[in-house]
Every structure is written in structure tokens, then in C-alpha cells.
Amino acid sequence: MGRGKFKGKPTGQRMFSSPEDILAGNSSRPPTFKQEEAEYDEEVSEEEAGEESEEQTERRKGLEGLIEINNPNLVKSKNLKAKDIDFGRPTELSRREREELEKQRSHERYMKLQEQGKTEKARQDLERLALIRQQRAEAAKRREEERAAKEQKKAEGRK
């Protein structure tokens, strides 16, 4: 009774262990490497639980335990406790943060000089402003004179 065009191979039959066999530990399937490692980890954790030692060895994967690795790019996370933090010591800023602070300070310094009129741009602005004020004053004077002249003509025309 084929289920399609492919025939089942005689070696391809799967063997399933029942949950009882697995619990009893006599399943027909051989234990894999991960199962052996898990059993080893359980034994190690039972020993550590009994000792309660303060030394905590790092758990390494694969062959890392056998090979010493000196990787300068590997950054180990520093776990700082709240009681170990020194508030008196100034915090070290990163390059970007230092550059950003320097940029802000220079901008504030520039703006202060700008307000005092000591920068080149401020001098140009003040000169332009003085010229505009002078032009406006002259224009206002001219308008006053024209208005006075119109009023004089009206007064002469009424007489």
C-alpha cells in the first residue's frame, strides 16, 4: 500500500520509545552527546549546591575550557554592585560625548561674544543695523517734510 510514487525503504522504519521506556532509561535510542552533557551538568550542579563555594567558575562552551583564548576585542561585562560605585570619582566620557560637550561650550562662547558684539559677524550686523536705522530716519524725515508741504499747500489753497 504505497502512499505515492516513492516506496518506503526497509531500513527507513522509525522506532519510537514509549514514555515509560524513556522514564525507565531503557529506550532503544542511544544517548546523544547533548544528553550526556546534560547528565554531566546535573552532576556538577549537585556538587556545587552541596559546597556553596564563593568561587564561581565560568561555564565555557565546547573546547574553550581546554584552550586559553586571548581576544583583545572580547569585552567582558563588568558587573558593578551599588556599594562598589565611587561617586567622588568623575565619570569618564566617551570621545563622542566629549566632542559634543566641547561643541556646545564653543557655541555658547560664540553666542556670548556675539551678544557683546565682539565677533566679525556681529560687527557686520551692527553696521548693517546702523545703516538701516539711518535710512529709516531719513525716510521718516522726508515723509514729515512732504506732509508739512502738503498741509502748507492746502492752507494756501483755502485762503
Side-chain angles (χ1 to χ4, degrees), residues 1-148:
M1 323 255 159
R3 262 199 202 179
K5 68 179 190 177
F6 298 109
K7 295 182 181 177
K9 296 180 182 171
T11 58
Q13 296 175 353
R14 293 186 175 176
M15 299 290 291
F16 294 102
S17 302
S18 66
E20 293 85 27
D21 289 340
I22 293 172
L23 290 174
N26 56 1
S27 66
S28 60
R29 183 174 166 209
T32 62
F33 176 72
K34 288 212 177 216
Q35 286 175 339
E36 291 172 359
E37 189 177 32
E39 290 171 4
Y40 174 75
D41 287 345
E42 289 174 7
E43 292 172 8
V44 171
S45 63
E46 289 172 4
E47 291 173 7
E48 287 180 0
E51 293 176 8
E52 288 290 322
S53 65
E54 289 189 22
E55 285 186 29
Q56 294 180 352
T57 57
E58 287 187 25
R59 177 78 180 113
R60 296 184 175 185
K61 298 176 186 173
L63 298 176
E64 285 183 12
L66 303 175
I67 304 170
E68 275 299 316
I69 298 174
N70 261 348
N71 185 354
N73 298 324
L74 181 66
V75 179
K76 294 184 181 178
S77 62
K78 298 176 183 177
N79 295 331
L80 292 177
K81 296 181 181 175
K83 64 181 180 180
D84 296 337
I85 297 175
D86 183 17
F87 289 107
R89 191 188 73 199
T91 57
E92 296 176 11
L93 301 174
S94 69
R95 178 184 57 82
R96 287 185 180 177
E97 291 171 336
R98 278 194 309 269
E99 288 175 357
E100 186 67 27
L101 279 175
E102 187 178 317
K103 186 177 177 183
Q104 287 176 356
R105 287 181 186 145
S106 66
H107 182 69
E108 290 171 5
R109 206 176 315 117
Y110 178 78
M111 292 307 287
K112 196 177 288 182
L113 290 173
Q114 183 87 354
E115 288 174 4
Q116 295 171 357
K118 294 183 178 178
T119 63
E120 188 64 32
K121 186 176 179 184
R123 287 188 193 115
Q124 291 173 355
D125 289 344
L126 290 173
E127 289 172 9
R128 206 175 309 123
L129 186 62
L131 183 65
I132 290 172
R133 282 184 181 158
Q134 184 183 0
Q135 288 173 352
R136 286 182 181 171
E138 290 172 0
K141 198 177 207 183
R142 239 182 285 124
R143 279 191 303 247
E144 257 325 294
E145 290 173 0
E146 289 173 4
R147 195 176 301 134

